[in-house]
Amino acid sequence: MIHQYKNNGYNIVLDVCSGSVHVVDDLVYDVIALYENNSPEEIASKLGQYSKEDILEASEEIEELKKMGQLFTEDEYRDALIPKDGKAPAIDFKKRKIVVKALCLHIAHDCNLACKYCFAGEGEYHGDRSLMSYEVGRKALDFLIANSGNRVNLEVDFFGGEPLMNFQVVKDLVAYGRSKEKEFNKKFRFTLTTNGVLLDDEVMEFANKEMANVVLSIDGRKEVHDAMRPTRNGKGSYDLIIDKFKKMAELRNQTNYYVRGTFTHHNLDFAKDVLHLADMGFKQISMEPVVAGPDMDYALTDEDVTVLREEYDELAREMVKREKEGKGFNFFHFMIDLTGGPCVYKRLSGCGSGTEYLAVTPWGDLYPCHQFVGMEDFLLGNVDDGIVNTKVVDEFKLCNVYAKDKCRDCFARFYCSGGCAANSYNFHGNLTDAYEVGCELEKKRVECAIMIKAALADN
Amino acid sequence: MKHIKTLTDKTLQSTMEKGGCGECQTSCQSACKTSCTVGNQTCENK
C-alpha cells in the first residue's frame, strides 16, 4: 500500500508498510498512481503527456524500489496479529501480560483556573474537589514498581486539575520515588503539567532538578488564551503566566518542556497562536485540537476540518521557512522520526491506555487513562487492591490498529496507532471506533511532518 | 535514480524482531493528553 500526495511543491510517496518515504518528480508521481493495475502500455496510453520512453524509465525505477521492499510492500503485520487455521497469531495481544510503566497521578482535583474546555470539568472531574494525600501517592508508586516487571524506565506525570495546588505532596512523592530507584533497579521520569499560576522560583528550581519534562499550558495569543482560560473570577490568565513560562523555558535551556495549548472552533487560525508562542521565544510548542461534543459552542465541526487542514499547511510552510533562516522551533504534532521511531509492536498497540498506562485519582482509584476518570464503567481497581476489573483491561488489551475497521487500511495507522480510545468511546460508545475529525487532522499532520522532512533535505 | 529521491528506506519490518521492549515513553506523558501521537516517540532500544 502506498500513500501519495502533493504538498508545498513536493510530490511525496509513502510506502505505508515499510515506512519508506520517497520524493518523486511529476512523471513518477503520475505513473505510480497507475502502476499496480496497469501495464506500461496502458499507462502510456493514459498519460499522453509523457513519452513511452519516459514512462518505461519511470517504471524501471519504481520496479527497482519494489524489489527492494520500499514500494507496494504488503502488510505482513496484519497476518502476525490475526489467528489463522485455528493457530494463535505470532503476536497475541490478548495474552500480553500487563506491565504498567506509566501513571498519570491526579494529584489535585481542583484548579485555580476555570478553562471553558476542560475535560476535567474545571479540575474536578465531575466529582468533588480533592487533593491526593502522600499516603495514596506512595501506594500508587509502590503499585507501579510492583507491576512494572522488567521495565526500568517508569513515568509518572503529576496532573490535575492543577498539581501545584498540592505541591508539597509532589515534592514528597518525588523524594519517595527516588528513594526506591536503586533498590528496585528503576528510573523514575517525573513530569509535571501546570497552568503556571502558582509557578514560582522554588517550583522552577525543583522542577528543573527533578522533572524530565514540564508541560506549560498556554493557548497562544493573549486574547485567545484569556477567552478560554479565565481565572475563577473571570479575568484572563495570560498576564499571570507568560513571563514565568518564558523564564522556565530559558532555565530549561529551551529543551525538555512544552508550551502546550488547545485550539477550538473560536480560533481556527491556530497557526497564528503557534507562531505567537514561537515569536515569544519558545522552542518546544504543542497545540492540540479541542475534543468536545457538538453541544459545545467551541467544539470543532466537520466543516472546520477543511480550514484546519489549510492551517496546518500554512504552519508547516512557515516552519520550513523559519528553520532555513535559523529561527526554527519544534511543533509536537509535526515531530516524526522517520528512521528511529517506535517499533511496529508499539505502533500497532497504540498509546497503552488501560494496559501500560493508568490514571490514579486523588483517592487512589485506577482508570485506563486521565480521560476515563469519573466514568464508573471504567473503574479498574485501586492502589490497595490493584487491578480487579480485568474484563475492562482485556478490552483495552485488544485495542490495536487491526481491531478497528476505520484504521485497518488507513495510511496513517502506523503513526497514530489507531487513535485515542477515549475519543472513540466519547463519540461512538466503544473503544474500537475512531473520532473522524481527529483522524482527518492526524492524517494532515503526518503529511505535513513528512513534507517538512522533504523540504529540509532539499537544500 | 533520476526521478526518485528516497528520504528513508524501509524501517518498519526489522523492528518486528527486536521491538516490543516497552522502555519508550508513553505518548500521553509527553504533550498529548487528548490525541494519540505514537509515531513521534523515539525508540529507546537502539
Side-chain angles (χ1 to χ4, degrees), chain A residues 344-358:
Chain A
V344 164
Y345 189 87
K346 178 170 175 117
R347 289 173 191 264
L348 292 172
S349 58
C351 69
S353 60
T355 55
E356 57 186 29
Y357 171 67
L358 303 173

Side-chain angles (χ1 to χ4, degrees), chain A residues 71-178:
Chain A
L71 272 178
F72 301 112
T73 312
E74 296 292 324
D75 188 339
E76 60 190 68
Y77 323 115
R78 188 180 318 211
D79 291 339
L81 273 170
I82 295 172
K84 244 186 192 169
D85 307 325
K87 289 180 188 165
I91 302 172
D92 195 342
F93 277 104
K94 200 174 180 180
K95 284 190 181 160
R96 59 178 157 158
K97 195 169 169 280
I98 293 298
V99 175
V100 183
K101 68 172 189 181
L103 291 183
C104 182
L105 284 192
H106 290 226
I107 208 79
H109 274 193
D110 196 358
C111 193
N112 40 22
L113 294 183
C115 304
K116 294 176 182 170
Y117 46 56
C118 184
F119 61 76
E122 299 181 6
E124 295 149 36
Y125 288 82
H126 316 290
D128 295 330
R129 291 182 189 195
S130 184
L131 299 179
M132 182 179 284
S133 67
Y134 171 70
E135 188 64 14
V136 166
R138 189 183 59 72
K139 285 180 185 173
L141 297 188
D142 288 341
F143 167 83
L144 179 58
I145 290 170
N147 288 275
S148 57
N150 294 327
R151 298 286 189 280
V152 175
N153 296 318
L154 304 181
E155 300 157 40
V156 175
D157 188 31
F158 293 105
F159 197 61
E162 171 50 41
L164 294 185
M165 293 179 81
N166 199 9
F167 183 51
Q168 187 59 49
V169 172
V170 171
K171 285 197 292 187
D172 293 345
L173 288 177
V174 168
Y176 181 74
R178 295 276 180 249

Side-chain angles (χ1 to χ4, degrees), chain A residues 18 20-23 25 57 61 101 103 152-153 155 157 189 260 288 332 335 342 344 346 370 415, chain B residues 2-3 5-8 11-12 15 21-26 29-34 39-41 44:
Chain A
S18 71
S20 190
V21 177
H22 313 281
V23 181
D25 62 12
E57 192 174 272
E61 291 192 12
K101 68 172 189 181
L103 291 183
V152 175
N153 296 318
E155 300 157 40
D157 188 31
R189 287 175 178 167
R260 182 208 179 279
E288 297 230 355
F332 179 71
M335 283 165 63
V344 164
K346 178 170 175 117
H370 53 287
Y415 301 91
Chain B
K2 191 172 155 192
H3 304 281
K5 180 180 167 187
T6 296
L7 281 187
T8 314
T11 54
L12 295 187
T15 68
C21 76
E23 292 292 353
C24 53
Q25 190 182 28
T26 306
Q29 298 286 60
S30 45
C32 188
K33 296 291 186 195
T34 53
N40 65 10
Q41 304 297 317
E44 301 206 24

Side-chain angles (χ1 to χ4, degrees), chain A residues 122-337:
Chain A
E122 299 181 6
E124 295 149 36
Y125 288 82
H126 316 290
D128 295 330
R129 291 182 189 195
S130 184
L131 299 179
M132 182 179 284
S133 67
Y134 171 70
E135 188 64 14
V136 166
R138 189 183 59 72
K139 285 180 185 173
L141 297 188
D142 288 341
F143 167 83
L144 179 58
I145 290 170
N147 288 275
S148 57
N150 294 327
R151 298 286 189 280
V152 175
N153 296 318
L154 304 181
E155 300 157 40
V156 175
D157 188 31
F158 293 105
F159 197 61
E162 171 50 41
L164 294 185
M165 293 179 81
N166 199 9
F167 183 51
Q168 187 59 49
V169 172
V170 171
K171 285 197 292 187
D172 293 345
L173 288 177
V174 168
Y176 181 74
R178 295 276 180 249
S179 77
K180 295 288 170 186
E181 286 182 325
K182 202 173 174 189
E183 179 185 353
F184 292 97
N185 188 32
K186 303 290 179 187
K187 188 171 172 237
F188 278 101
R189 287 175 178 167
F190 293 107
T191 56
L192 174 73
T193 301
T194 178
N195 63 28
V197 172
L198 294 174
L199 202 56
D200 60 17
D201 288 346
E202 186 202 349
V203 176
M204 286 190 209
E205 190 184 342
F206 175 80
N208 292 341
K209 180 168 172 265
E210 297 289 359
M211 299 291 163
N213 189 40
V214 176
V215 178
L216 309 169
S217 302
I218 181 170
D219 282 354
R221 291 165 291 180
K222 177 175 160 60
E223 62 274 21
V224 171
H225 179 95
D226 283 347
M228 291 305 280
R229 301 182 65 81
T231 60
R232 292 257 169 184
N233 61 12
K235 291 183 180 166
S237 60
Y238 182 93
D239 291 337
L240 294 176
I241 58 161
I242 183 69
D243 289 339
K244 292 192 278 190
F245 282 1
K246 283 185 193 172
K247 184 176 178 182
M248 185 74 161
E250 285 302 320
L251 286 172
R252 294 180 76 83
N253 298 316
Q254 290 293 343
T255 187
N256 296 323
Y257 81 94
Y258 282 98
V259 280
R260 182 208 179 279
T262 299
F263 65 84
T264 74
H265 179 70
H266 299 317
N267 63 314
L268 297 178
D269 59 347
F270 73 90
K272 288 191 175 69
D273 294 290
V274 175
L275 296 176
H276 170 81
L277 294 171
D279 291 340
M280 290 280 119
F282 295 109
K283 296 291 184 190
Q284 310 295 335
I285 303 170
S286 176
M287 190 65 70
E288 297 230 355
V290 73
V291 180
D295 50 326
M296 297 298 175
D297 61 69
Y298 55 79
L300 298 174
T301 67
D302 292 344
E303 290 72 38
D304 291 342
V305 169
T306 307
V307 180
L308 293 173
R309 287 168 57 86
E310 287 169 10
E311 199 69 11
Y312 277 120
D313 280 338
E314 190 180 320
L315 178 60
R317 285 194 295 270
E318 181 64 20
M319 284 182 66
V320 170
K321 180 170 162 276
R322 291 191 182 203
E323 187 67 38
K324 288 188 173 178
E325 291 170 353
K327 298 186 295 186
F329 63 91
N330 184 32
F331 180 62
F332 179 71
H333 271 159
F334 286 167
M335 283 165 63
I336 194 163
D337 187 345

